[in-house]
Amino acid sequence: MYADLCATFDLIAATTKRLEITSLLATFLHTVITAHPADLLSAVYLCINRLCPEYEGLELGIGESILMKAIGEATGRTLQKIKADMAEVGDLGEVAMASRGSQKTMFQPKPLEVGKVFKVLKEIATISGGSSQKVKVDKIKGLMVSCRGNEAKYLVRSLEGKLRIGLAERTVLVSLSHAFFRARTSTSRKPTDDALKRAEDIVKGVYMELPSYDQIVPALLEYPIDELPNRCHLTPGIPLKPMLAHPTKAISEVLDRFEGKLFTCEYKYDGERAQMHLLDDGKRCIFSRNSENLSAKYPDVLARLDKMCAEDTKSFVLDCEAVAWDTEKQCILPFQVLSTRKRKDVKEENITVQVCIFAFDLLYLNGESLLRHTLQDRRALLHAHFVPVPGQFAFAKSMESNNLDDIQVFLDESIQGNCEGLMVKTLVDESSYEPSRRSRNWLKVKKDYLDGVGDSLDLVVIGGYIGKGKRTGVYGGYLLACYDPEAEEYQAICKIGTGFSEEALTTLAESLKPHLIDQPKSYYRLGDAKADVWFDAVQVWEVKTADLSISPVYQAAVGLVDSSKGISLRFPRFIRVRDDKSPEDATTGEQVADMYNRQQINSAAGGGGGGDD
Ligand code: ATP
């Protein structure tokens, strides 16, 4: 029943204790497994606020104006009143619940079912065309009139695309494994922590390889948990979340970390991550870092796939970087060139920016997952089963040495070759591919680490400042935020006004125009930060900074370094828009705190840093 799910959401929202949240949700999911198994998939999707696997790209995020209209019409209140309540309360979910609660109804509506609510949400997300707004409003109204108690609150928040109860996806995954463990073991025995942890590891491990509840939930309903890895595993056609790297400040840090281990250095190409898949039936696709299907952007790359494969290569998943390529000079072009390539419906005959694919890992080959093989093995298979095609497909350039000077020369060469620096990876021990992890077995060394704070940050634009003087007519600066996935909130981190070309100022202002909102979202944690206008959290920018400092104004990473103060950036500079990152992939508060702490260690060891906002 939807009411039970919403009651569980309320209980979860009332606590911050992870174990308690896990147990509350596991209890609810256990009831669904035993009493309404057909609703389980819908229940899981409602908990993680998604409609389908990420790579299918269907999203809710219904605009505020449509929601207000639907709430007004469903509860018999004027739009004006809804707007006034919203201005006061700041949360449309609460406004919907209060509006519905104060409404006099003649008949008690039929209770809402989880499966029905989910089905209608999915229908709403797929509606398009001329009268789509009216159809959406009608469908939302249809659900709203059946809402009781707190249901309207969560319905509206689901429609907005944010539940804001502090329920992270990995907690849902753990709760799901606990619920199944309970459902599959005799009730008289209390599970040991070890047994629970084992179930948890199995479900989490499988999800990392095959991030699709559409496959995992039915398999869990049908088979014992132990059987899950045999039923669900890495499958070409379904993108796995890529492995990510840890930033380092200098080559000497790499040598310290990897002491006594075999490791390899590769060029860090500066383009776009491209996960290439070939299925047994010949179907082929490319996915972004974010699991977005890029096949329509790279028809030319898909067409060259046969040339890249050795004769016995029938199916694979390759991890690569797509890089802009100068066909005349036969060399790599900077990322800025790649960013001018059209993203959709690219026709091979009209391509202006050619790309070369640099493959650095092979994750699946001819029916077998290679994730647990060593990098040395994976690389050997990559070289044996693929064929370089000049200017179109190449293996990432690599070098093995533990001599600091050799690595420095290789780093310099990579930068001269228009790369970003190096990726340094364990080659044998602890070198399995770790999907979705920012692993310590992959370290990145960028050219500008040596003079900056380390890595750049990827931040979300949430506010703007009206431009004056030369910047009249565009925004003079912007307010940026990092993301806290646990609290599901954007935490203001700094104002930014440098690094923009005049052209960028115009295009950025244009691209943000459709995302202007009347007031900051309730899930923006602003502290004392202010802005002239507010934006919906949609755009991610890469930003560099001189250093990070504790700030009484900003709230980024609050509670991690200081109990009430956040962290801010000094002299932030705009680098580029990160189209390949969604706002929820932005730099997290935890990463900001980590950067701050490392800066403190480095400055204690001799070097700049520090300062107040
Ligand atoms: P950024 O790209 O800004 O460094 P990120 O968060 O997208 O950050 P990181 O893990 O920090 O990802 O850096 C790894 C990225 O570098 C990969 O996502 C990939 O796109 C790119 N890359 C380029 N060359 C390589 C390589 N040889 N091995 C692995 N990744 C590479």
Side-chain angles (χ1 to χ4, degrees), residues 245 266-269 273 289 321 425 444 446 578:
E266 291 174 355
Y267 277 15
K268 185 176 192 311
Y269 294 92
R273 191 132 186 191
R289 178 191 191 284
E321 189 84 350
K425 305 173 177 179
K444 48 182 169 176
K446 289 194 191 172
R578 288 286 308 243

Side-chain angles (χ1 to χ4, degrees), residues 161-400:
K162 286 242 173 307
L163 275 182
R164 273 166 289 133
I165 53 173
L167 180 60
E169 181 172 356
R170 58 170 190 284
T171 310
V172 178
L173 212 52
V174 173
S175 304
L176 186 69
S177 64
H178 289 196
F180 268 105
F181 186 85
R182 224 184 284 172
R184 298 280 181 256
T185 36
S186 78
T187 44
S188 54
R189 272 188 298 134
K190 191 178 177 302
T192 63
D193 285 350
D194 278 357
L196 265 184
K197 178 85 176 55
R198 216 178 88 78
E200 203 179 300
D201 288 345
I202 292 176
V203 175
K204 278 203 290 202
V206 166
Y207 186 77
M208 296 246 191
E209 278 192 39
L210 188 76
S212 167
Y213 294 100
D214 288 0
Q215 319 264 340
I216 292 177
V217 167
L220 277 168
L221 283 167
E222 193 168 349
Y223 303 102
I225 299 179
D226 281 342
E227 185 59 16
L228 189 66
N230 299 327
R231 303 281 158 184
C232 297
H233 37 71
L234 174 56
T235 306
I238 300 183
L240 69 166
K241 290 258 176 198
M243 180 165 173
L244 300 171
H246 253 279
T248 52
K249 223 167 147 43
I251 296 169
S252 53
E253 191 181 333
V254 171
L255 293 177
D256 287 347
R257 290 252 195 113
F258 284 168
E259 206 187 338
K261 283 187 184 160
L262 270 181
F263 63 88
T264 179
C265 303
E266 291 174 355
Y267 277 15
K268 185 176 192 311
Y269 294 92
D270 195 8
E272 172 170 39
R273 191 132 186 191
Q275 200 180 92
M276 297 181 66
H277 292 231
L278 175 68
L279 284 64
D280 276 323
D281 62 5
K283 196 174 162 245
R284 45 199 71 191
C285 32
I286 302 186
F287 295 99
S288 73
R289 178 191 191 284
N290 235 355
S291 305
E292 188 190 342
N293 197 329
L294 295 180
S295 304
K297 179 176 179 183
Y298 293 118
D300 47 337
V301 174
L302 291 179
R304 73 179 67 143
L305 204 133
D306 297 312
K307 281 191 278 179
M308 306 161 15
C309 290
E311 217 174 300
D312 59 350
T313 306
K314 305 291 179 224
S315 62
F316 65 76
V317 178
L318 269 181
D319 206 354
C320 319
E321 189 84 350
V323 181
W325 185 256
D326 187 328
T327 45
E328 263 174 38
K329 296 195 187 122
Q330 291 288 309
C331 65
I332 290 173
L333 291 166
F335 172 82
Q336 282 67 20
V337 178
L338 182 69
S339 66
T340 61
R341 184 170 164 134
K342 253 180 85 184
R343 290 188 68 78
K344 298 217 164 83
D345 299 327
V346 175
K347 300 269 173 303
E348 265 193 80
E349 54 279 15
N350 300 331
I351 290 172
T352 47
V353 178
Q354 298 296 333
V355 294
C356 182
I357 298 292
F358 287 89
F360 50 80
D361 218 322
L362 176 61
L363 315 182
Y364 182 98
L365 180 70
N366 295 341
E368 195 194 349
S369 164
L370 306 178
L371 297 178
R372 285 172 198 84
H373 289 224
T374 64
L375 175 57
Q376 196 169 47
D377 281 357
R378 299 199 301 276
R379 190 189 271 170
L381 289 167
L382 170 68
H383 290 201
H385 290 266
F386 291 83
V387 188
V389 183
Q392 298 194 357
F393 177 77
F395 302 129
K397 193 161 175 179
S398 64
M399 191 247 343
E400 276 88 67

Side-chain angles (χ1 to χ4, degrees), residues 71-77 98-105 144-145:
I71 297 169
E73 290 184 17
T75 58
R77 301 185 71 221
S99 304
R100 182 81 189 111
S102 62
Q103 191 179 16
K104 295 206 172 35
T105 41
M144 194 88 70
V145 293

